Amino acid sequence: MSLPNKFEPKVSEKLIQDIWETNETYKWDANSQTEPFIVDTPPPTVSGSLHLGHVFSYTQTDIVTRFQRMIGKNVFYPMGWDDNGLPTERRVQNFFGIKCNPNVKDQESFQLNYNFDPKKDQILEVSRKDFIAACVELTTKDEVAYEAMWRRLGLSVDWNETYSTINAHSQKISQLSFLDLATKNQVYNLESPTMWDVDFQSAIAQAELEDRERPGAFHDLKFQMESGEEFIIATTRPELLPACIAVVAHPSDERYQKFFGKTAITPLFHAPVPVLASEHAEPEKGSGMMMICTFGDINDVQWWKQSGLPIKQVINLQGIIRPITFGEDAFLSQNPDLANKNYQQLTGLYLKQAQKKIVELLASPESSVDGKSAALVGEPKTITHSVKFYEKGDRPLEFIPTRQWFIKTLDHKEALLEQGMKINWHPEHMRVRYENWVKGLNQDWCVSRQRYFGVPFPVWYPINALGEVNYLTPIYAEIKDLPVDPMSQVPPGYLESQRGQASGFVGDPDVMDTWATSSMTPQLASHWGTDEKRHKKLFPANIRPQAHEIIRTWAFYTIVKSWQHSGEIPWKDILISGWVLDPERKKMSKSKGNVITPETLFDEYSPDAIRYWTAKARLGADTAIEEAVFKMGGKLCTKIFNASKFVLMQFERIGLNIKDYNLSDVNCELDRALIANLQSVITESSKSLENFEYTTALKLIEDAFWDFCDNYLELVKVRSYQDEDNAERKSAMAALAWSLKTFLKLFAPYVPYVTEEVWQESFKDASHPAIHKSSWPTVDEANTVLKPSYAMAYTSATEVISKVRGVKTASQKSLKWEIAELNISCSIEAKQALESVINDLRQAANVKDQGLIFSPSSNQAGNLEITVILSESWGQ
RNA sequence: GGGCGCUUAGCUCAGUUGGUAGAGCAAUAGCCUUACAAGCUAUGGGUCACAGGUUCGAGCCCUGUAGCGCCCACCA
């Protein structure tokens, strides 16, 4: 039973991990009847490496969870890997230099290029199957590295309970969810203008939108009425002029009343378009007249839906101006030859180039409708405006008509707000963000993505005898067959040979939004739909820890799914963590994260020290990376170690075992005061931790511990150094043992390594082989009532010792310097209290024999007047 | 434009129901003290963003203002 002389966290790190592992310290007990505590762990996105932001929020969860385990809950703490979706595809593309092309054939014995160099090597197009295999290979490797880092951080995860969002289990549940929603009539597919990312070649959802400030310009364009009168419209998107379907002004705008119901002609394309009244147009903006194009923005889409006018689609899925012919179909023109001549100059151009080109055309002197002037009036006026982007995209979103699957949300706003009210939000004000989001929804959840590495829709579509695909009567997979891949599997009752044939079928080629799967994390962990007995035990979860920027996605979608499937809330409490900010107070970014990796910090400080830093930040509070706090954490751990060493040494010296202490030996006021104080620390910190206020609890524990080291240990030292094991020493030893054990347990959720290291050398026994197999301290253990006299003894003694230190320091003397006379003037009560600790006090202060003098005072009970006269020399 | 949060010592932050402003770091001055010099002791440092109000009393409650951060919406 002994600790190493020096505290070296690195030496014991691995050993301690092994202890946790071999004792199955964090294993969920499937058969236990005790109250569970279920964590809906965020599955980190597997696309590179974990950074300090992850360490921050996951540790906060771990602290809460370790506490719950110690108070006796049957903790279920799984770990998932979110490896499906765009981030993974993008990483795989860049890592191996491959790109998915569904039309390419599978390769035999496909070898991935681990040494891909973007400067030298060409991008290789591979089949869907090969691409998915590459995704699986790389994410599997990443997941190994992630697990190692989580273990090092000391997350008390049950590593038997892991899943990945792309594995068969997750695919099955994700598809099951889709089928359940189909049965409940909560999903539909629809061909309609949808937000489209031209680079990713996929639809995206409202929740993935991001506004970005971009330079733009107002272009004033001259239109003409059929009757010959001219007017001006202002537009930031002149390249959409060929897609103009109408021009509108506000109904009350007097300038344009005379035009309403008549026809205007567009420049360059001579397209006749109706002039209509619309509330959309604001008279004060520009000329008060605006053009409606298919489609410049969401307003155009909404307006078009009401108007019944045909679509003029000029942009293709790649963001390129597609070939069309004026004079045909919707593209009416009063001068098709001229229109086509102009349009041909735009065909094949990317939107940006097309804009440049059309501005040139509009600026030419004969571009107006009557051919007498330029249609572009004046110079374009440059502005900065916000433009909608896919949050992971590089070019602005376009609205392009495509067929997509949607999950109904707009019909359920009220119910979803109610569900939000049933959940406890920490901090409380984060609920408002959820509510704002729900209230502001304007589209159902677009859940299909035209990507490859994801969960397929369990859906085929029948083809009629004419070869037309019928999207409105999909063939759903049977539940027993899940998971299915409709691109390689055949729907019930069909043959593979019928794929793509008249009277046959086609598989849905799309995959689901990655959130469609991760919104099921509570059910993925509980095995919803596949193991009802287990699901009953593990659903709903107790806590959902997550970051605030994904309230509108992860939290929202999880609440949606849970409500639609079973009418329940997915978890009782949601814990919103803050952001890690770099020293310039900017959000920790991936590039910055790579500079300061968690491993670097673990090496330089210790996992415990980093954990301490995370524990100093409250939920929801953004926190700067602060080296000073890492240092503090390190110092605290050293202190815990050294104080433990001191206590253990006192037992060793006279051959006693620290486990054999007996609290009934405690008979000194000072020792009773210590125990009584710690009791209130236990009560208060437990209350805070139960409410997820781990920061408040830590402060209480820490303050008590530093006081224990600075004051109690100093006072009790001389008594405990006695060689004779008499009653007063026994009292000290029992108090020391119990308080050390208590402090170790109180600190254990925060700094598991150092507390475990000490535990192994002190209180470990067969039924408590690890500190996290021991129980949280309770007040009953000590059963000491705090009497006013204890408190007074303790605080008065502390006050005296503090005064003595002040005098010695001011005289630049060692704290060991002898005191010739210590005169304490105080009330009768204070005197009585101090007399009970007089020996401890006299020796700790090193007062000469007979040098401690009390004199009466009429002061208030607590007020002490202390005079110190130092000896001329050291003393003996 | 709507909403939420923040503003306390040089820095990073605590501050319970209103009752004499706190910690760590940094700075300064010291100390080999039988757990700890990677330690310890002490000292200095604040008009609690600003302006009103309620109250015997406001960092805390109310109203307004400003700055910072974030969420949402609008944006021809």
Side-chain angles (χ1 to χ4, degrees), chain A residues 456-505:
Chain A
F457 287 82
V459 164
W460 299 262
Y461 306 99
I463 303 179
N464 68 13
L466 300 171
E468 295 161 344
V469 178
N470 187 348
Y471 290 102
L472 299 180
T473 54
I475 307 161
Y476 293 111
E478 287 180 19
I479 288 172
K480 65 175 173 52
D481 297 332
L482 301 182
V484 301
D485 174 14
M487 298 305 279
S488 61
Q489 287 167 261
V490 175
Y494 288 84
L495 298 169
E496 180 59 37
S497 60
Q498 288 177 281
R499 188 183 293 275
Q501 305 298 315
S503 305
F505 70 93

Side-chain angles (χ1 to χ4, degrees), chain A residues 179-251:
Chain A
L179 294 178
D180 187 50
L181 295 184
T183 309
K184 295 184 162 115
N185 195 26
Q186 294 301 314
V187 293
Y188 61 93
N189 77 66
L190 179 70
E191 179 158 11
S192 134
T194 312
M195 288 182 291
W196 182 266
D197 186 288
V198 296
D199 291 314
F200 282 106
Q201 289 287 293
S202 180
I204 68 124
Q206 187 187 354
E208 294 160 297
L209 285 180
E210 185 175 282
D211 280 355
R212 292 186 202 160
E213 291 294 320
R214 283 290 177 273
F218 276 118
H219 301 75
D220 285 343
L221 304 185
K222 211 189 299 174
F223 279 45
Q224 195 174 305
M225 298 303 294
E226 273 186 322
S227 53
E229 290 156 287
E230 291 182 333
F231 62 89
I232 304 283
I233 64 106
T235 179
T236 55
R237 303 211 48 190
E239 71 277 16
L240 289 177
L241 181 61
C244 177
I245 55 167
V247 291
V248 298
H250 196 268

Side-chain angles (χ1 to χ4, degrees), chain A residues 131 264 378 412 606 715 764 833 858:
Chain A
F131 185 74
H412 308 311
S606 67
L715 284 164
K764 179 182 86 166
S858 55

Side-chain angles (χ1 to χ4, degrees), chain A residues 482-531:
Chain A
L482 301 182
V484 301
D485 174 14
M487 298 305 279
S488 61
Q489 287 167 261
V490 175
Y494 288 84
L495 298 169
E496 180 59 37
S497 60
Q498 288 177 281
R499 188 183 293 275
Q501 305 298 315
S503 305
F505 70 93
V506 288
D508 191 318
D510 291 351
V511 296
M512 295 186 206
D513 177 7
T514 184
W515 294 116
T517 306
S518 48
S519 59
M520 298 293 289
T521 50
Q523 294 94 334
L524 291 175
S526 71
H527 296 192
W528 170 74
T530 65
D531 182 348

